[in-house]
């Protein structure tokens, strides 16, 4: 049985296999062996892209999908996460997609006997986001070895950054971090933003996660944009074939200026589109 809790549990061969499968799905490959398999999407934290691209992926695979609503469930009577998931397993469901605000929530679910796909845990892991980021990079550059990326912004609170830094290094990329020093948690080599703009193949921006801050960010929004935001003046200094990525949702006029969101170098909506195909490939990998 295969769970996808964190990308560190997958070999490079597995990761490349999922990416190749996702690209085949994007190119129109059909697959009907998951028809009728049932999946419960359990989102204990808000989501637009992850939840709805999983739903689209499940529907493309002709699976039976159920959306669990924590607010109307027996969690409100004190039932635990484990007992809730075990209940759905007893009801005969074949797979779970779970997002939870608690880091490593899945460690309490190791006795569940059907695959669990992590849709994001706290500030820890977001494996399917990372896979769709990798798919977008692979489509744009063909390979990972030697590519230079700077992840800019709220590294400390970002499960996307933590997942990407680790997997991108494993795939041979040179990974740097930048942005306000208060967000630098030591998980990557720091580079000055203006230097990164000129030297990188990829600039990946992160949302300032105001909802996770136990304190107020010291920079005002307009100051952030001026010092660390991607504005067109900076985009124009990037390498010709360099690209801009952002896992989204984004704070317009904070880490990214309006005209940059859909500029020629931006791959933000391509990333979202790839999310459906990566999640189809992950469902196939876990359930076939
Ligand atoms: N990128 C991402 O995880 O977006 P959602 O929070 O909308 O799912």
């Amino acid at each position: 049985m295969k769970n996808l809790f964190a990308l560190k549990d997958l070999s490079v061969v597995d990761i490349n296999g999922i990416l190749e499968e996702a690209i085949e799905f994007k190119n129109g490959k059909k697959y009907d062996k998951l028809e009728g398999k049932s999946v419960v999407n359990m989102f204990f934290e808000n989501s637009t892209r992850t939840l709805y691209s999983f739903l689209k992926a499940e529907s493309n695979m002709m699976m039976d999908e159920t959306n669990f609503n924590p607010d109307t469930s027996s969690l409100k009577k004190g039932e635990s996460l484990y007992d809730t998931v075990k209940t759905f397993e007893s009801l005969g469901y074949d797979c779970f997609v779970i997002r939870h605000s608690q880091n490593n929530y899945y460690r309490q679910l190791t006795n569940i006997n059907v695959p669990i796909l992590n849709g994001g845990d706290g500030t820890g892991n977001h494996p399917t986001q990372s896979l769709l980021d990798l798919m977008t990079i692979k489509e744009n550059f063909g390979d990972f070895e030697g590519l230079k990326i700077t992840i800019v912004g709220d590294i400390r609170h970002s499960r996307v950054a933590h997942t990407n830094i680790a997997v991108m290094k494993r795939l041979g990329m040179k990974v740097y971090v930048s942005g306000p020093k208060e967000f630098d948690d030591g998980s990557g080599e720091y580079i000055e933003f203006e230097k990164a703009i000129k030297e990188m193949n990829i600039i990946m921006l992160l949302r300032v996660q105001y909802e996770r801050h136990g304190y107020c960010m010291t920079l005002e929004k307009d100051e952030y944009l001026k010092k660390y935001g991607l504005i067109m003046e900076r985009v124009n200094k990037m390498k010709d074939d360099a690209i801009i990525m952002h896992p989204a949702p984004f704070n317009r006029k904070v880490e990214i200026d309006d005209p940059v969101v859909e500029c020629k170098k931006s791959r933000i909506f391509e990333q979202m589109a790839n999310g459906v195909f990566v999640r189809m490939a992950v469902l196939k990998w876990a359930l076939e």
Side-chain angles (χ1 to χ4, degrees):
M1 200 206 45
K2 290 173 178 163
N3 293 307
L4 181 54
F5 295 150
L7 281 190
K8 67 178 167 46
D9 302 330
L10 262 58
S11 67
V12 168
V13 171
D14 277 338
I15 290 170
N16 280 320
I18 289 171
L19 298 181
E20 277 158 28
E21 191 88 56
I23 290 169
E24 285 181 26
F25 280 130
K26 190 172 182 176
N27 291 335
K29 175 179 156 168
K30 301 280 178 243
Y31 184 79
D32 61 10
K33 291 201 179 113
L34 300 189
E35 186 173 356
K37 293 264 187 200
S38 52
V39 51
V40 194
N41 302 298
M42 302 181 121
F43 278 65
F44 298 88
E45 224 189 42
N46 293 352
S47 170
T48 298
R49 276 144 292 273
T50 310
L51 172 59
Y52 290 95
S53 62
F54 258 116
L55 278 169
K56 187 74 169 67
E58 291 155 7
S59 153
N60 288 353
M61 307 290 266
M62 294 174 287
M63 297 177 74
D64 290 337
E65 59 216 32
T66 297
N67 281 334
F68 171 76
N69 182 351
D71 292 333
T72 56
S73 75
S74 288
L75 284 165
K76 293 286 174 195
K77 302 174 196 165
E79 194 167 34
S80 67
L81 175 64
Y82 176 79
D83 289 341
T84 304
V85 176
K86 195 71 189 169
T87 298
F88 277 93
E89 185 194 324
S90 312
L91 297 178
Y93 283 88
D94 298 307
C95 180
F96 295 94
V97 177
I98 304 180
R99 169 173 286 190
H100 204 287
S101 56
Q102 189 187 335
N103 283 29
N104 305 316
Y105 70 82
Y106 42 79
R107 286 192 188 150
Q108 57 194 287
L109 301 178
T110 46
N111 281 348
I112 302 298
N113 297 307
V114 296
I116 297 171
L117 309 178
N118 181 8
D121 62 288
T123 58
N125 294 278
H126 196 347
T128 58
Q129 175 67 43
S130 216
L131 288 167
L132 73 87
D133 292 339
L134 293 174
M135 176 178 173
T136 308
I137 292 169
K138 191 176 169 78
E139 283 184 325
N140 279 272
F141 295 101
D143 198 6
F144 301 108
E145 189 68 44
L147 285 178
K148 289 165 89 174
I149 182 170
T150 294
I151 304 178
V152 188
D154 194 352
I155 309 286
R156 187 178 296 278
H157 300 100
S158 174
R159 55 192 170 215
V160 178
H162 295 141
T163 311
N164 271 338
I165 290 167
V167 73
M168 288 174 178
K169 281 183 185 167
R170 276 170 79 201
L171 292 168
M173 292 174 66
K174 281 286 290 174
V175 187
Y176 302 89
V177 300
S178 192
K181 284 279 171 64
E182 64 192 290
F183 293 148
D184 179 11
D185 61 2
S187 51
E189 185 181 332
Y190 191 88
I191 184 170
E192 291 303 328
F193 188 39
E194 302 302 344
K195 183 170 157 66
I197 287 291
K198 290 184 197 141
E199 293 183 6
M200 294 296 121
N201 303 105
I202 304 151
I203 295 287
M204 178 178 281
L205 306 166
L206 297 176
R207 182 171 68 91
V208 179
Q209 300 201 33
Y210 292 103
E211 77 279 12
R212 290 197 206 274
H213 297 182
Y215 57 94
C216 288
M217 186 173 69
T218 51
L219 283 174
E220 293 296 329
K221 291 180 178 179
D222 56 344
E223 269 183 292
Y224 189 103
L225 183 68
K226 211 165 141 191
K227 281 179 111 166
Y228 302 108
L230 199 51
I231 53 176
M232 279 315 285
E233 197 187 326
R234 292 194 172 107
V235 172
N236 293 335
K237 292 180 188 162
M238 290 171 67
K239 287 182 171 200
D240 286 347
D241 66 347
I243 64 169
I244 298 159
M245 299 176 73
H246 192 313
F250 34 80
N251 297 306
R252 288 181 186 254
K253 297 187 190 300
V254 183
E255 73 269 3
I256 188 164
D257 206 4
D258 270 332
V260 179
V261 172
E262 293 184 59
C263 77
K264 224 172 136 205
K265 289 187 178 301
S266 170
R267 297 294 180 272
I268 297 173
F269 291 95
E270 194 177 310
Q271 286 171 264
M272 292 182 205
N274 286 343
V276 174
F277 304 111
V278 148
R279 286 166 180 134
M280 288 171 74
V282 166
L283 286 161
K284 178 175 180 286
W285 169 84
L287 281 160
E288 73 175 349

